[in-house]
Amino acid sequence: MAALVPRLLHKEAHANFNHPVPARRFLQSYEYQELLDCIDEGKRGIVGISDFDLFRFLGAGGFGMVLLATKRDTKKLYALKVIDKRILISQNQTHSIFREKEALASVEHPFIVPLRFAFQTEDHLCFVLDFIPGGNMYADLMRGPYTHARAIFYAAQIVLATHHLHELGILYRDLKPDNVLLMMDGYLKLADMGAARGMDENGCICSSGANAVQDKTAKCGRPTLKRRMTITGTHGYRAPEVYERNYGIEADWWNVGILIIEMLTAENPLRGENRKESEQMSKSKELLLPSYINPDVQDLALRLLQRDRTTRCGCGELGVTEIYEHPAFRDIKWEALLSLELKPPFELDLEGLTPRGQPVPRGNDKNQLDHFCGMVDFMKTSLAGRASFPLLAHDQQIFEDFDYTSNKVFEEELRSLQEVSEELEEYSFGVAGFC
């Protein structure tokens, strides 16, 4: 997509400023119409790796890594999630990356990290997400447990985000402190939709209703075979029914219960030394919560952790209303919270990540990306094996519908255009007054 904002600042845009002619109104401008035309899916411009400067390595996991990057034209910081195509193909997981993309593209919620762009290189798929400088909850809890007020404020946001995903027909399946990112203003955002799936039997997700994309979010297999759910998520957080491979939204509410306890104790009471031990604890361990936890909060957590999912809080006849109306949330004004108008009931104490760059070798953008791939063992192995595992045309065809630009990007650019246009119009009228 061509950068439109600078056009209004080009010297030609100022050519008429010496004449008493008002500047064109924004809604009548060529730039406004051109940007509106871009919102048509067929005309959207797609960004690429050359649009970003790679700043530093942030972490790795799953099928790739996360880098801090700046967009060259706006200098805005983003989190760039980079996934290796060869690893996805070799592990028959191409469906999972399309599920993640479609889940992110479906969502525009204040407590979920938004997807701004998706693009690809010859060897990688890339998600461009808003950068959240406060870090994740896992690291923050290493400083110690939260107060009741803070834990409930965070829990309420997680409830709203989880409910929103369920309304879209999406199971999150991997709620844990590592995937909760903290904002500097006291709010939070859920991140990493890598484990998300649709509620249909084949797990497909489709944000736009396009069959081609929907087919790519369904795992390949015999169409006549009735599928069982996969055991996904992180051990210590899985609901008992996940191990039986037959579960639904109830498993996400179980995760909320675990997270509430972990926020108040800085420990997960159901995490064992390994998967097998965690499974046994999830299915049979008696939960005895510390006496210092508020009785209403204890009640909420234990009701979310009912092993009989038909009696689990939020999963009965009342649905999620049972959670919203629980006494533990008596001080939460839900509409104000959703509008980000509720003041956090705790002192803001996050230091935030200082965006310091790392040395990156000079060269083309592909070489810079490969430099960071060398920091992750499994990506380094894939990098070394490119000659023996070349990606052929039919391999690349799998990813042909991956590229994406969010409507939010266009909305932000429209706002910027309008602000610049209004400034130019004011300046034009000012000049006219002196003529």
Side-chain angles (χ1 to χ4, degrees):
M1 178 177 61
L4 300 179
V5 174
R7 295 184 188 179
L8 285 176
L9 299 178
H10 192 271
K11 63 181 181 180
E12 292 178 359
H14 296 262
N16 292 327
F17 275 10
N18 292 326
H19 304 283
V21 179
R24 291 174 298 170
R25 291 194 174 275
F26 176 65
L27 296 181
Q28 299 172 336
S29 69
Y30 165 77
E31 289 82 4
Y32 173 79
Q33 189 58 52
E34 184 177 357
L35 198 53
L36 280 184
D37 289 343
C38 286
I39 296 178
D40 175 9
E41 194 69 32
K43 298 182 180 179
R44 290 187 180 192
I46 301 298
V47 301
I49 191 64
S50 61
D51 292 295
F52 296 89
D53 287 317
L54 306 183
F55 207 56
R56 68 175 295 118
F57 178 83
L58 294 178
F63 303 109
M65 61 182 173
V66 180
L67 308 176
L68 182 63
T70 57
K71 196 161 183 290
R72 288 176 177 172
D73 59 349
T74 64
K75 306 304 180 185
K76 183 176 179 180
L77 287 170
Y78 289 99
L80 184 69
K81 183 173 182 178
V82 183
I83 304 98
D84 192 291
K85 289 182 178 179
R86 288 174 177 81
I87 296 175
L88 289 173
I89 293 172
S90 64
Q91 298 189 21
N92 189 27
Q93 289 293 320
T94 58
H95 67 282
S96 68
I97 204 65
F98 276 94
R99 285 181 181 177
E100 182 172 5
K101 176 216 161 181
E102 292 301 309
L104 287 166
S106 299
V107 174
E108 190 65 50
H109 192 275
F111 306 134
I112 299 176
V113 176
L115 175 66
R116 298 309 186 194
F117 307 95
F119 65 90
Q120 57 187 295
T121 69
E122 181 181 354
D123 304 297
H124 300 100
L125 303 174
C126 300
F127 289 130
V128 181
L129 305 140
D130 280 3
F131 171 61
I132 311 300
N136 64 47
M137 184 180 285
Y138 175 82
D140 196 46
L141 283 172
M142 294 180 71
R143 303 189 300 167
Y146 296 146
T147 63
H148 279 78
R150 187 171 193 157
I152 287 298
F153 187 72
Y154 283 159
Q157 296 173 64
I158 292 167
V159 166
L160 286 167
T162 302
H163 182 205
H164 181 66
L165 290 172
H166 292 171
E167 286 183 315
L168 295 173
I170 298 171
L171 305 179
Y172 184 40
R173 303 202 299 176
D174 201 19
L175 178 62
K176 57 184 178 180
D178 314 58
N179 289 341
V180 179
L181 303 183
L182 305 179
M183 302 285 286
M184 303 302 292
D185 60 3
Y187 289 92
L188 58 75
K189 290 183 184 289
L190 298 191
D192 196 347
M193 294 288 166
R197 83 184 302 274
M199 295 182 187
D200 291 339
E201 183 179 315
N202 63 4
C204 67
I205 302 172
C206 192
S207 63
S208 61
N211 290 332
V213 176
Q214 186 175 37
D215 290 343
K216 291 187 176 184
T217 66
K219 189 170 184 178
C220 296
R222 287 163 50 194
T224 58
L225 182 66
K226 182 174 176 59
R227 301 182 187 283
R228 299 175 69 200
M229 305 280 277
T230 56
I231 299 176
T232 192
T234 305
H235 76 80
Y237 296 91
R238 299 182 183 121
E241 64 269 21
V242 171
Y243 294 100
E244 307 304 321
R245 300 178 65 178
N246 180 22
Y247 57 92
I249 63 173
E250 302 91 351
D252 281 344
W253 293 124
W254 171 280
N255 290 158
V256 175
I258 291 290
L259 197 62
I260 289 173
I261 295 174
E262 196 161 1
M263 286 191 288
L264 291 167
T265 65
E267 295 181 356
N268 181 340
L270 297 180
R271 184 172 176 85
E273 293 296 323
N274 51 53
R275 170 180 159 170
K276 185 174 181 180
E277 186 177 337
S278 294
E279 179 179 353
Q280 292 304 315
M281 295 170 74
S282 171
K283 291 179 176 179
S284 60
K285 180 182 177 180
E286 182 182 3
L287 283 174
L288 298 175
L289 302 184
S291 58
Y292 64 79
I293 296 180
N294 177 285
D296 286 333
V297 180
Q298 283 203 38
D299 180 75
L300 174 62
L302 292 175
R303 289 177 64 190
L304 287 166
L305 294 171
Q306 289 292 308
R307 292 188 167 92
D308 179 356
R309 52 180 163 170
T310 63
T311 63
R312 197 171 294 162
C313 190
C315 306
E317 292 183 1
L318 294 176
V320 73
T321 301
E322 186 178 10
I323 299 176
Y324 287 132
E325 295 181 351
H326 193 280
F329 291 123
R330 65 166 57 89
D331 295 328
I332 297 294
K333 296 178 176 58
W334 293 102
E335 290 187 6
L337 179 62
L338 191 60
S339 302
L340 306 180
E341 297 173 352
L342 203 59
K343 182 180 178 181
F346 54 88
E347 182 179 351
L348 302 178
D349 57 358
L350 296 177
E351 296 181 0
L353 175 67
T354 302
R356 296 173 181 169
Q358 290 175 303
V360 180
R362 291 187 177 184
N364 60 41
D365 301 305
K366 185 176 185 295
N367 291 340
Q368 291 186 10
L369 186 56
D370 287 346
H371 166 74
F372 286 102
C373 289
M375 299 181 179
V376 184
D377 287 343
F378 60 86
M379 297 188 78
K380 186 177 181 180
T381 301
S382 178
L383 178 63
R386 286 180 187 173
S388 58
F389 184 2
L391 293 177
L392 305 178
H394 70 270
D395 295 318
Q396 298 290 6
Q397 189 176 6
I398 297 171
F399 305 107
E400 66 180 359
D401 298 311
F402 182 77
D403 295 359
Y404 169 81
T405 300
S406 167
N407 277 341
K408 198 71 175 178
V409 172
F410 292 98
E411 292 173 11
E412 291 173 354
E413 198 156 349
L414 281 171
R415 281 197 296 270
S416 296
L417 275 170
Q418 185 169 13
E419 290 171 2
V420 172
S421 181
E422 289 173 352
E423 290 177 3
L424 294 180
E425 186 168 345
E426 290 177 5
Y427 180 77
S428 177
F429 277 119
V431 170
F434 287 99
C435 296

